[in-house]
């Protein structure tokens, strides 16, 4: 029996850089810089340069990044923010935590990203922002979304949790909208050894505000200017991320090579793959496909020793947590179809050519 191929395998990645990570741990220990501090600050500067923005604020996770971004825009009770129905639920949490209401909009049938054609109908006098998601590592159609936002005087915020290093018309995601919100959860293209996140922006006022919010509402210790939170990025995570950031472009290139092979060599008519517009460069955080029968496909792949996953089996608008908003099945048909038919293939930089070939062969041999 051939070795099992998992959808993701962090142990391979960590093993390649184990000594560097251990040395980073030791530096943090030697300096006792655990909560915020020099190593978190250094990573913020490095990641701002990487994204091509003026400033970055590291926080404790990607959900907090979204929450803080909404607060920095002054969004709160009575406001609405447009959110894709096809995304991880944390995108919507960032809106809900402020007291505002998410308004869910369907994705396109081919890119599976927020559908600009459905935005106008979702805008009301209460709408304050559009929260677009670069889902699976594929940038959403920012240009058209921004045009619509500008017509209505709305902010555009990017959820970049799955898209570190992705490009839209040659510009890095996280530098396009008012702010970019990143997660460094283990398994992301750039990941911490625990939880972590950040907000990027060219507007330094936003970042200063987030720095206050995440630090108990303080600019000066013990003087609390507003209700704040305990959301600082840990020093050890900043040190780990600084090590990993050196390799992100290398890892991204490998993901793109794997994604290109899948796109070119999976030829099964029962399998539909995400469309990647020419003005974008995906970083293939996930390689999501659809099949007519998800369970049969997953069983077929498991029989071949390949373990896949699904992202995501319930769209946001149909989650029980948001039942009070009154959405029903049929409101976002493309997102609903994806939720019922999606499968995620193995995707991580350490996949060997032989393993990639096995995944492709197994996909092509699926008969439904």
């Amino acid at each position: 029996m051939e070795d099992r191929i998992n959808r993701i395998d962090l142990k391979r990645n960590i093993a390649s850089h184990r000594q560097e990570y251990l040395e980073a741990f030791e530096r943090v220990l030697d300096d006792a810089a655990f909560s915020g501090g020099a190593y978190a600050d250094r990573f913020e500067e490095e990641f701002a340069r990487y994204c091509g923005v003026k400033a970055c604020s590291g926080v404790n996770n990607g959900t907090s990044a979204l929450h803080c971004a909404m607060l920095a825009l002054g969004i709160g009770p009575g406001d609405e923010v447009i959110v894709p129905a096809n995304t991880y639920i944390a995108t919507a949490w960032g809106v809900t935590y402020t007291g505002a209401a998410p308004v869910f909009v369907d994705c396109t049938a081919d890119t599976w990203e927020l559908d600009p054609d459905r935005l106008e109908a979702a805008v009301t006098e209460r709408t304050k922002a559009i929260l677009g998601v670069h889902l699976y590592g594929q940038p959403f159609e920012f240009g058209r979304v921004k045009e619509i936002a500008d017509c209505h005087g709305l902010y555009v915020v990017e959820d970049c949790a799955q898209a570190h290093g992705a490009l839209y018309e040659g510009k890095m995601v996280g530098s396009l909208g008012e702010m970019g919100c990143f997660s460094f959860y283990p398994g992301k293209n750039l990941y911490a050894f625990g939880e972590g996140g950040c907000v990027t922006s060219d507007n330094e006022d936003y970042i200063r505000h987030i720095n206050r919010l995440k630090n108990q509402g303080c600019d000066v210790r013990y003087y609390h200017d507003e209700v704040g939170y305990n959301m600082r990025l840990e020093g050890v995570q900043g040190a780990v991320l600084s090590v990993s950031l050196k390799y992100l472009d290398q890892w991204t290139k490998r993901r793109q090579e794997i994604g290109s092979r899948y796109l070119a060599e999976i030829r099964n008519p029962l399998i539909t793959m995400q469309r990647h517009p020419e003005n974008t460069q995906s970083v293939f955080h996930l390689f999501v496909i659809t099949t007519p029968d998800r369970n049969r496909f997953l069983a077929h792949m498991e029989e071949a020793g390949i373990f896949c996953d699904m992202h995501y089996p319930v769209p946001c608008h149909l989650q029980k947590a948001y039942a009070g908003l009154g959405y029903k099945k049929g409101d976002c048909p493309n997102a609903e179809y994806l939720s019922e038919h999606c499968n995620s293939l193995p995707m991580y930089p350490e996949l060997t050519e032989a393993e990639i070939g096995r995944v492709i062969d197994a996909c092509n041999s699926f008969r439904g």
Side-chain angles (χ1 to χ4, degrees):
M1 178 68 178
E2 292 181 285
D3 290 341
R4 167 187 176 125
I5 303 175
N6 291 319
R7 192 197 63 76
I8 186 170
D9 189 343
L10 289 182
K11 291 181 180 180
R12 292 190 191 183
N13 186 267
I14 293 167
S16 300
H17 308 286
R18 184 181 182 86
Q19 188 57 41
E20 284 185 87
Y21 289 131
L22 290 173
E23 291 170 0
F25 285 148
E26 289 181 354
R27 288 192 294 273
V28 176
L29 289 174
D30 289 343
D31 292 340
F34 300 125
S35 182
Y39 296 97
D41 293 347
R42 182 178 304 165
F43 172 72
E44 289 173 346
E45 294 171 2
E46 292 168 347
F47 197 64
R49 284 197 300 272
Y50 182 82
C51 292
V53 296
K54 292 179 181 178
C56 169
S57 181
V59 293
N60 59 337
N61 57 59
T63 309
S64 294
L66 292 158
H67 182 192
C68 286
M70 295 295 103
L71 291 174
L73 293 175
I75 289 169
D79 295 334
E80 294 177 347
V81 177
I82 294 172
V83 176
N86 181 40
T87 185
Y88 182 58
I89 197 68
T91 309
W93 291 157
V95 175
T96 301
Y97 292 163
T98 71
V103 174
F104 295 112
V105 168
D106 205 2
C107 61
T108 69
D110 53 2
T111 67
W112 306 336
E113 306 290 339
L114 180 66
D115 188 348
D117 290 337
R118 298 173 187 262
L119 284 178
E120 293 277 3
V123 175
T124 73
E125 61 182 13
R126 297 169 60 191
T127 308
K128 294 295 187 293
I130 300 169
L131 183 44
V133 183
H134 305 298
L135 197 65
Y136 316 140
Q138 168 58 45
F140 68 89
E141 196 170 347
F142 179 82
R144 285 195 59 207
V145 171
K146 185 67 164 64
E147 286 179 9
I148 293 166
D150 287 348
C151 285
H152 294 276
L154 308 178
Y155 300 114
V156 179
V157 175
E158 304 167 69
D159 182 338
C160 310
Q162 300 182 0
H164 316 69
L167 300 178
Y168 177 85
E169 295 188 347
K171 288 194 66 177
M172 196 77 73
V173 302
S175 70
L176 305 169
E178 295 290 332
M179 284 172 273
C181 302
F182 290 83
S183 168
F184 304 122
Y185 179 80
K188 302 296 187 185
N189 293 26
L190 179 65
Y191 66 94
F193 287 6
E195 299 284 349
C198 78
V199 181
T200 57
S201 183
D202 272 331
N203 187 323
E204 294 176 282
D205 288 339
Y206 291 150
I207 298 302
R208 278 190 286 270
H209 191 179
I210 291 169
N211 286 340
R212 184 191 312 136
L213 287 167
K214 74 181 185 184
N215 191 37
Q216 306 286 10
C218 293
D219 290 323
V220 178
R221 193 178 187 188
Y222 300 131
Y223 293 83
H224 306 274
D225 300 320
E226 62 181 308
V227 174
Y229 304 86
N230 184 5
M231 293 178 171
R232 292 178 294 271
L233 179 68
E234 294 178 345
V236 70
Q237 306 303 354
V240 164
L241 288 163
S242 286
V243 172
S244 298
L245 185 58
K246 295 187 295 184
Y247 300 100
L248 179 57
D249 286 344
Q250 173 185 323
W251 297 340
T252 297
K253 181 180 178 183
R254 180 58 179 160
R255 286 177 179 273
Q256 290 170 334
E257 290 170 353
I258 297 166
S260 293
R261 279 201 65 186
Y262 283 166
L263 288 167
E265 298 178 40
I266 295 174
R267 302 187 181 94
N268 190 331
L270 295 176
I271 292 175
T272 299
M273 294 178 279
Q274 186 182 27
R275 186 174 73 86
H276 304 282
E278 292 183 358
N279 65 339
T280 66
Q281 287 187 30
S282 175
V283 292
F284 295 102
H285 170 61
L286 300 172
F287 196 97
V288 175
I289 64 170
T290 63
T291 55
D293 189 322
R294 174 168 58 209
N295 290 335
R296 292 187 67 178
F297 178 81
L298 292 173
H300 167 80
M301 297 299 279
E302 187 169 343
E303 188 175 344
I306 301 165
F307 291 78
C308 300
D309 206 344
M310 59 185 80
H311 295 84
Y312 301 95
V314 182
C316 290
H317 69 294
L318 298 182
Q319 292 284 353
K320 186 176 179 181
Y322 284 120
L325 295 180
Y327 290 95
K328 62 185 183 303
K329 193 164 185 179
D331 286 341
C332 298
N334 292 331
E336 291 163 24
Y337 180 86
L338 277 166
S339 72
E340 294 168 358
H341 298 85
C342 62
N343 307 270
S344 297
L345 302 182
M347 173 55 76
Y348 49 95
E350 295 75 26
L351 280 169
T352 67
E353 292 301 313
E355 288 170 332
I356 298 164
R358 280 177 57 193
V359 174
I360 292 166
D361 289 344
C363 285
N364 286 333
S365 67
F366 176 61
R367 293 294 176 264

